[in-house]
Amino acid sequence: MPISVFLADDHPIVRSSVRTEIERMSGFSVVGEASTSDELITFMEHGSCDLLITDFNMPGVHNEDGLSMLDAIVHLKPELSILVLTMLTNSGLLRAIHDRGVAGLVSKSDHMAEMTSALQTIASGQDYVSANVRRVLCSPKGNVMKSPLSMLTEREAEVLRLFVSGRTISEIAAQRGRSVKTVSHQKISAMGKLGLRNDPELYAYAHQNGFFN
């Protein structure tokens, strides 16, 4: 039987390109698509597939934070092979994704041939990291440690990602089961570590450093 693949990305062109590439290959079959994290989680709760190809950050009511979304998927489908397709260029976030045990990491800037190689490698039972992603992950340890983002706790980084994605402090607190005071403190602490004085500086920093793509 062919390997069943589910696609999740909020950009229709990306989904179409990946689907076309998969349909050119033998041994794989696309069984569905999602354009939001909520649609993806709903499928994980009620459907099944052998391999998930997903973007890192997608719009959604409950799971728009990429790491939380991956954690939810792994909780629902611990044996599922996951290939993350992303524009991220931040080593800390890529390492966090990699450490969650995903089967593959491919950059959207890679040639589509990387996708073919990734699918073939994962189908053979091995993990796959594209050359561009590997270059970031294998950057000198000293450079990674000097990055201000490496000083953030996971919850601080999560709060910033959700805030920049459009959530208010109150919404983040309700969504994550924390007090507004705690979330506000985590945001202030994270911005202090990054040397950011206000929200416009935070938005600019996020986009300049490939932190939330």
Side-chain angles (χ1 to χ4, degrees), residues 6-20:
F6 190 84
L7 306 178
D9 197 291
D10 57 325
H11 297 289
I13 294 177
V14 173
R15 295 199 310 274
S16 177
S17 297
V18 175
R19 175 185 277 272
T20 298

Side-chain angles (χ1 to χ4, degrees), residues 22 25 42 44 49 75 82 130 139 155 180 182:
I22 293 174
M25 303 173 63
T42 296
M44 290 296 130
C49 62
H75 177 74
I82 303 173
S130 74
S139 59
R155 288 197 169 189
V180 171
T182 295

Side-chain angles (χ1 to χ4, degrees), residues 111-148:
H111 190 278
M112 192 56 70
E114 287 279 4
M115 177 63 65
T116 302
S117 298
L119 291 172
Q120 293 172 336
T121 301
I122 293 172
S124 71
Q126 303 178 61
D127 293 343
Y128 186 91
V129 178
S130 74
N132 283 334
V133 175
R134 194 181 312 116
R135 194 173 298 113
V136 177
L137 290 174
C138 295
S139 59
K141 186 175 181 181
N143 292 340
V144 174
M145 293 305 291
K146 292 177 183 177
S147 170

Side-chain angles (χ1 to χ4, degrees), residues 159 163 167-174 179-181 183-184 187:
V159 166
F163 185 80
R167 293 290 173 186
T168 66
I169 296 299
S170 297
E171 289 172 338
I172 296 171
S179 69
V180 171
K181 183 178 180 180
V183 172
S184 179
K187 176 177 177 284

Side-chain angles (χ1 to χ4, degrees), residues 6-12 15 33-40 58-59:
F6 190 84
L7 306 178
D9 197 291
D10 57 325
H11 297 289
R15 295 199 310 274
E33 298 183 9
S35 59
T36 69
S37 59
D38 295 325
E39 292 174 356
L40 172 56
M58 293 186 292

Side-chain angles (χ1 to χ4, degrees), residues 140-209:
K141 186 175 181 181
N143 292 340
V144 174
M145 293 305 291
K146 292 177 183 177
S147 170
L149 288 172
S150 67
M151 297 187 295
L152 302 185
T153 66
E154 188 164 315
R155 288 197 169 189
E156 288 172 344
E158 176 188 56
V159 166
L160 290 193
R161 285 196 298 274
L162 289 172
F163 185 80
V164 171
S165 296
R167 293 290 173 186
T168 66
I169 296 299
S170 297
E171 289 172 338
I172 296 171
Q175 185 177 326
R176 291 292 179 260
R178 305 172 204 162
S179 69
V180 171
K181 183 178 180 180
T182 295
V183 172
S184 179
H185 176 75
Q186 289 168 337
K187 176 177 177 284
I188 293 171
S189 175
M191 291 178 65
K193 291 177 181 179
L194 296 176
L196 304 174
R197 297 168 296 179
N198 50 49
D199 291 347
E201 289 187 2
L202 170 59
Y203 289 121
Y205 185 92
H207 291 293
Q208 290 170 1
N209 288 272

